[in-house]
Amino acid sequence: MKAPVLPEPVLPIQPKTMKDFQEDVEKVKSSGDWKAVYDFYLTTFDSFPELNAAFKKDATTSFNTIEDSGINAKFVNAVYDALLNTPQDIQKTVLKGIINSLLREWKGPRTKDDLRAYFILLQNPQFNNTSTYVIYAHLLRQIATLVEADHHFLVHWFKKLSQKRFKQLVERLLQFISLRLFPAKPEEFPPITKCSWWIPSASKVLALLNTANSLAHPPLIPYTDFYNSTLDHIDLMEEYHTWQSFGNSHRFSFCQYPFVISIAAKKIIIQRDSEQQMISIARQSLVDKVSRRQRPDMNMLFLNMKVRRTHLVSDSLDELTRKRADLKKKLKVTFVGEAGLDMGGLTKEWFLLLIRQIFHPDYGMFTYHKDSHCHWFSSFKCDNYSEFRLVGILMGLAVYNSITLDIRFPPCCYKKLLSPPIIPSDQNTPVGICSITTDDLCQIMPELAHGLSELLAYEGNVEEDFYSTFQVFQEEFGIIKSYNLKPGGDKIPVTNQNRKEYVQLYIDFLLNKSIYKQFAAFYYGFHSVCASNALMLLRPEEVEILVCGSPELDMHALQRSTQYDGYAKTDLTIRYFWDVVLGFPLDLQKKLLHFTTGSDRVPVGGMADLNFKISKNETSTNWLPVAHTCFNQLCLPPYKSKKDLKQKLIIGISNSEGFGLE
């Protein structure tokens, strides 16, 4: 996209170099005379042309490119770092200059010098102070309302900022939104009715920064740094319904900017949206029963699964197929021939056993790649892909029933799962197909990805030295089968000129086309449970966290939330236990979590959501600890010494599959 290139106005003469400015600041320490520094700030911030004169690397060059803003970033940083240590009259002078610049009447489109001025002013650390928020809000509105082509320039200039400065910009905007929502001193700001545009303007500028962060490789900051935890305390469902009703039109909703909504808040939106759908279905069932003068049954409020342990997969598939209308209801599991109510433990056991069986290599549905420690879909052709649909349903049910699954899919699986995020109305529209790169392949088959990268970088004659064609071979049940990557591929040699196309088609074949039917069944299974527009709010990484939990462990948080049965938290054995566990390296902490819960990841709500319990096991202290993973429970004998406890605990957690099912 090209913005109209306007002639740049003649700039004022640059008042000082960076060295001159720093010398003036140094002189103040001995003389106490701020006049030279005051004059610099007074002149520089007086207008947009003066800002450009001060900070533009070369006043005679236009710098009309997205690659280079033309601004001396070090000089800008030095001037802003010094500003907060200057007397109040200098700081007020800067703000007055900014006000005058923003109040200037604009005629015609902005020049690149205007964009540079906005870029510089946005970095002003004075905007951390709530007393400057009225000025900051006007600056944000002017930036937010620029045309798309101008935003394009700003995004690429933001991308070139240092990580420190970029993070400061993001944090300043998040704080501005939080304090406008929940002001410590409401009288500091105009009434909300008079400044309803503040938050939409800030959100739009944040969106530019988020885009810049996505374009940077690697990103300047983690995507989670854009989360605004303050939003966890507003009526998120009202925001969601506003977005559902008005989309991205004139009515503002934070759901238009989902990158600021935390994963915990998104989970609440998804679950409540599902509950409302479930209540609607249950209410209709109740009305139907009453109208037919039938007695309502409380079981109609649940997805009741009755399965035999000996036929776990087939029974589960049959039950879920028969009860597909009930998938959004609360799950309850009964094992045939076994007494007991499902208080959560049986449900978790059902998930653990099913996942263990389906992902076993002998089952043939998924291939485990040792290099990347993840599973991928088997490309073997079969008559029925319903079991892949079952895995998708399991993942959807896990999200709605707050179960963390011990599944290791690569990140591109979740990217495919959101392609598209809502089931298309046209049945012929392909699903689960997304753009794939060598980076995606590297997450599954690193050796193959490395080989293809070597092919792309090869400096010799590819056709003569590799002797490859646009054809690939795969082993299926002991038989080697060939597939053309394009029509007549077996007759087309791979050359230096077409090797990029070959690599792209090969990766697309491996991760999209060869497993299309398997993944489509998996996609439809997941979306049959998670059929919600709320999925449009999620990043692929967030779907993974909802299904599998977060890899970030906080054992201190686990200690604070642990419950005890037979022990008190002050007992010597418990004190030994936490001394040992908190001193464990990360890999042993993960093994402990896996041993006791069936997964080494943490639910979205944090360690407290695990409901972790340590029970006293009145057995010999020669015994190892025992785990009931279905209840996240560790049974610990009353070991007499820390050394003995540590030794037994390490043996126990290191020599088990992690499923202490009983």
Side-chain angles (χ1 to χ4, degrees), residues 436-491:
I436 298 290
T437 66
T438 46
D439 289 342
D440 294 306
L441 183 65
C442 190
Q443 291 162 351
I444 309 167
M445 309 168 196
E447 275 193 24
L448 177 57
H450 178 70
L452 292 175
S453 297
E454 296 258 294
L455 171 67
L456 291 173
Y458 189 66
E459 293 180 359
N461 188 313
V462 170
E463 183 177 359
E464 290 180 3
D465 297 348
F466 284 83
Y467 203 67
S468 296
T469 62
F470 277 69
Q471 186 181 46
V472 292
F473 300 91
Q474 283 193 333
E475 184 182 337
E476 295 179 15
F477 302 111
I479 301 168
I480 302 293
K481 292 194 174 183
S482 62
Y483 296 92
N484 286 348
L485 296 177
K486 58 193 290 190
D490 56 325
K491 307 276 194 313

Side-chain angles (χ1 to χ4, degrees), residues 348-367:
K348 188 172 180 190
E349 184 179 3
W350 176 71
F351 274 111
L352 290 172
L353 290 171
L354 259 182
I355 293 298
R356 184 201 273 181
Q357 191 166 331
I358 286 170
F359 282 84
H360 196 282
D362 294 347
Y363 209 72
M365 284 177 65
F366 297 95
T367 304

Side-chain angles (χ1 to χ4, degrees), residues 24 66 68 83 159 182-183 192 228 237 253 258 325 351 464 484 514 516 522 581 610 635:
D24 286 344
I66 60 172
D68 186 0
L83 177 60
K159 194 177 74 170
F182 300 105
I192 193 77
N228 191 335
M237 291 314 290
S253 164
F351 274 111
E464 290 180 3
N484 286 348
S514 68
Y516 179 75
F522 172 73
V581 169
L610 281 174
C635 299

